[in-house]
């Protein structure tokens, strides 16, 4: 380990290693760079015996070929004596060739889920001897829609110990792993955050199940016309900007507009300064698509309805350049939480997770709106990670809107009652 450059274990390695070696099922949650891959690679090398077996004894599932290469490099770094036969499997190799390689004998397989399942169905991959079933970067596997092969392979290796490593834990991921993780599973979370690189505006985060609910929440928040008097809403494409624009009830001409609209008949601006100068213009919808640098100074509310492809795009908008009161509000689904975590790591600060308004209509997978009545949900079975039970220390008996919360924050800063 010292020769490989590992001078001391990281927190997630300290907390998981003894449990893994002790045979427990483990869910390990930590940011990129926390040491998750090294933890299970080292544990695998320590747990498996050197005796030759006809079938593989460890199956590691990763989201894509790039991650296969990364894990193989980690094994190469730590498996100095080549005591184990390790095979990488992904779509770059021919199925017949991979079948022959497995038949020739292998101890540890690092594979993408869909190719591993294909080999299992062809009876080339024998899961009866698997002692360790590991899912790495589980959040990306869910994002790629590879849950079915993971569950099928895990159920086939029912005698094994199961380990799941992920950057975030949410409802869709829980739905994937719940069929095979034991009730005694230990969940370990390392919440590392770097030092703040720059001062940023006040950050608020709303977690919702899907885009339709995002639209409902956006409309509900911006109904507070008095408070949200000047708002810029960022989306990823000009087509999405049109969708958001049409979702509003346009009671006042010119109140809501699009920056460089896709269609000529929609109200829009080609120059953001015109939007700033017009007192009747309240909401400007801006697409990140082909967007040049935009001067948003002087706009008190910056909303990201969608997270941009590059986290730097969002970060540069929320860095505090002058002493002005600005609130940055981010909307996120379960799948987008990965990007939220990366942004938080980059700015060295957590976004404050906001309670959802009581009268928000939640749209489930069947596109049927659910509305909370008298503070109680009609049905919480499809609510998602944004609606998990909160720790006792986080329970609240109030439910402030974003506007009210921001007003309170401003008052506190200025020492007002």
């Amino acid at each position: 380990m010292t020769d490989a450059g590992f001078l001391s274990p990281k927190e997630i390695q300290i907390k998981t290693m003894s449990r893994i070696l002790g045979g427990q099922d483990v869910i390990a949650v930590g940011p990129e760079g926390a040491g998750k891959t090294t933890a299970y690679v080292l544990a695998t090398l320590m747990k498996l015996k050197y005796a030759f077996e006809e079938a593989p004894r460890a199956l590691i599932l990763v989201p894509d070929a790039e991650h296969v290469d990364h894990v193989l490099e980690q094994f190469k770094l730590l498996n100095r004596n080549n005591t184990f036969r390790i095979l990488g499997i992904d779509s770059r190799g021919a199925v017949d060739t991979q079948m022959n390689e497995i038949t020739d004998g292998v101890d540890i397989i690092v594979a993408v889920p869909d190719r591993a399942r294909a080999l299992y169905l062809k009876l080339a991959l024998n899961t009866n001897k698997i002692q360790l079933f590991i899912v790495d970067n589980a959040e990306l596997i869910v994002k790629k829609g590879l849950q079915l092969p993971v569950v099928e392979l895990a159920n086939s290796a029912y005698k094994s110990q199961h380990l799941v490593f992920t950057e975030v834990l949410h409802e869709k991921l829980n739905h994937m792993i719940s069929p095979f993780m034991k009730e005694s599973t230990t969940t370990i979370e390392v919440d590392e955050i770097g030092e703040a690189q720059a001062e940023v505006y006040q950050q608020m985060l709303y977690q919702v199940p899907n885009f339709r609910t995002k639209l409902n929440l956006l409309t509900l928040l911006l109904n507070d016309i008095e408070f949200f008097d000047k708002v810029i809403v960022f989306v990823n494409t000009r087509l999405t900007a049109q969708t958001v624009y049409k979702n509003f009830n346009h009671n006042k001409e010119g109140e809501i507009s699009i920056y460089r609209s896709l269609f000529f008949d929609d109200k829009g601006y080609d120059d953001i300064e015109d939007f700033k100068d017009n007192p009747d213009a309240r909401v400007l919808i801006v697409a990140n698509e082909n967007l040049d640098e935009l001067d948003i100074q002087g706009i008190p509310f910056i909303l990201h309805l969608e997270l941009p492809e590059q986290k730097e795009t969002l970060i540069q908008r929320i860095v505090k350049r002058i002493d002005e009161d600005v609130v940055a509000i981010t909307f996120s689904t379960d799948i987008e939480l990965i990007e939220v975590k990366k942004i938080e790591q980059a700015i060295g600060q957590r976004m404050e997770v906001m309670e959802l308004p009581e009268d928000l209509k939640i749209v489930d997978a069947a596109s049927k709106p659910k509305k909370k009545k008298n503070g109680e949900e009609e049905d919480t079975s499809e609510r998602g990670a944004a609606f998990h039970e909160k720790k006792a220390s986080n329970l609240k008996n109030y439910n402030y809107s974003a506007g009210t919360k921001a007003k309170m924050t401003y008052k506190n800063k200025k020492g007002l009652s």
Side-chain angles (χ1 to χ4, degrees):
M1 291 294 290
T2 302
D3 291 343
F6 298 96
L7 301 181
S8 61
K10 294 189 175 183
E11 183 182 357
I12 202 165
Q13 296 160 359
I14 294 173
K15 290 183 175 181
T16 59
M17 194 64 69
S18 61
R19 290 179 170 84
I20 295 173
L21 297 179
Q24 293 184 28
D25 278 16
V26 172
I27 301 171
V29 185
E32 184 179 5
K36 300 187 295 294
T37 302
T38 302
Y40 72 73
V41 166
L42 186 60
T44 300
L45 295 174
M46 294 174 68
K47 261 188 89 75
L48 298 186
K49 296 180 179 179
Y50 298 140
F52 176 83
E53 295 282 353
E54 294 180 356
R57 289 171 286 155
L59 176 61
I60 302 168
L61 299 180
V62 295
D64 51 41
E66 182 181 351
H67 285 86
V68 170
D69 292 339
H70 173 67
V71 176
L72 291 178
E73 282 297 319
Q74 286 293 99
F75 271 112
K76 183 178 179 181
L77 185 65
L78 299 176
N79 185 32
R80 288 295 183 88
N81 298 322
N82 296 319
T83 47
F84 295 105
R85 301 157 298 170
I86 305 169
L87 176 64
I89 291 175
D90 55 64
S91 59
R92 293 173 296 186
V95 173
D96 291 341
T97 301
Q98 292 169 347
M99 291 175 64
N100 292 332
E101 289 174 329
I102 295 174
T103 304
D104 290 340
V106 61
D107 298 300
I108 301 167
I109 291 179
V110 183
V112 295
D114 48 353
R115 179 55 65 93
R117 177 177 179 267
L119 293 168
Y120 168 72
L121 294 177
K122 287 180 176 293
L123 304 181
L125 175 57
N126 183 356
T127 58
N128 291 333
K129 297 284 186 178
I130 289 179
Q131 300 173 29
L132 281 173
F133 184 92
I134 302 170
V135 183
D136 192 17
N137 288 104
E139 78 286 352
L140 293 180
I141 288 177
V142 172
K143 188 174 182 179
K144 288 176 176 290
L146 297 172
Q147 298 97 312
L148 178 61
V150 171
V151 174
E152 189 168 342
L153 289 166
N155 287 335
S156 71
Y158 64 94
K159 297 180 182 178
S160 64
Q161 177 184 0
H162 301 93
L163 311 176
V164 174
F165 294 82
T166 180
E167 287 191 33
V168 294
L169 192 62
H170 51 64
E171 187 62 28
K172 286 180 177 152
L173 198 156
N174 281 329
H175 184 70
M176 178 182 74
I177 66 178
S178 59
F180 57 84
M181 298 299 285
K182 298 181 179 69
E183 291 185 2
S184 59
T185 296
T186 299
T187 300
I188 297 170
E189 185 166 1
V190 173
D191 193 21
E192 295 180 352
I193 192 80
E195 293 184 6
Q197 300 300 314
E199 188 178 1
V200 296
Y201 297 128
Q202 181 187 0
Q203 301 294 303
M204 295 180 178
L205 175 67
Y206 282 100
Q207 298 178 18
V208 294
N210 47 52
F211 183 75
R212 290 287 302 279
T213 306
K214 280 186 181 182
L215 290 177
N216 291 345
L217 178 58
L218 178 67
T219 303
L220 188 61
L221 292 179
L222 297 189
N223 279 341
D224 188 348
I225 297 175
E226 180 181 350
F227 186 72
F228 288 97
D229 56 349
K230 210 73 170 180
V231 182
I232 187 166
V233 179
F234 286 103
V235 296
N236 283 337
T237 68
R238 295 170 73 190
L239 189 60
T240 305
Q242 297 296 137
T243 302
V244 175
Y245 175 77
K246 293 178 180 178
N247 189 69
F248 284 104
N249 294 319
H250 300 273
N251 296 325
K252 186 177 179 181
E253 181 68 24
E255 179 186 11
I256 300 170
S257 55
I258 302 176
Y259 182 69
R260 296 181 180 176
S261 174
L262 192 62
F263 302 109
F264 293 110
D265 56 345
D266 289 331
K267 178 65 177 177
Y269 289 94
D270 291 330
D271 190 336
I272 193 170
E273 295 302 323
D274 293 336
F275 168 75
K276 293 179 182 179
D277 294 339
N278 186 349
D280 294 328
R282 188 171 68 93
V283 179
L284 182 66
I285 306 165
V286 179
N288 294 318
E289 184 179 32
N290 301 322
L291 180 65
D292 297 328
E293 187 173 347
L294 201 64
D295 180 13
I296 58 176
Q297 185 174 313
I299 299 177
F301 290 96
I302 304 170
L303 276 60
H304 283 92
L305 192 67
E306 294 181 303
L307 291 169
E309 292 184 4
Q310 303 296 328
K311 66 178 183 294
E312 291 77 14
T313 302
L314 187 148
I315 291 171
Q316 68 181 1
R317 294 168 182 161
I318 63 175
V319 171
K320 194 171 186 179
R321 292 178 174 83
I322 61 175
D323 188 17
E324 60 178 348
D325 288 327
V326 175
V327 176
I329 302 176
T330 300
F331 298 71
S332 173
T333 62
D334 284 352
I335 298 300
E336 291 171 315
L337 283 176
I338 310 167
E339 304 307 321
V340 170
K341 292 291 184 183
K342 294 184 186 303
I343 292 168
E344 291 176 333
Q345 291 294 319
I347 65 176
Q349 178 180 316
R350 296 294 181 208
M351 297 182 186
E352 183 179 2
V353 180
M354 305 300 295
E355 297 285 338
L356 296 177
E358 292 290 338
D359 50 350
L360 173 64
K361 292 182 180 178
I362 307 296
V363 182
D364 64 14
S367 298
K368 294 179 180 178
K370 296 178 181 179
K371 185 174 181 180
K372 297 174 75 177
K373 295 181 178 179
N374 301 321
E376 296 181 359
E377 298 88 0
E378 291 180 2
D379 179 11
T380 59
S381 61
E382 298 290 330
R383 296 294 301 272
F387 318 101
H388 59 76
E389 292 295 327
K390 297 185 180 296
K391 296 178 182 178
S393 60
N394 294 331
L395 290 175
K396 302 176 181 179
N397 57 6
Y398 54 83
N399 191 6
Y400 300 125
S401 70
T404 304
K405 182 73 175 181
K407 290 176 185 176
M408 293 171 62
T409 301
Y410 292 158
K411 287 181 179 180
N412 290 335
K413 284 183 178 179
K414 296 175 181 178
L416 301 176
S417 59

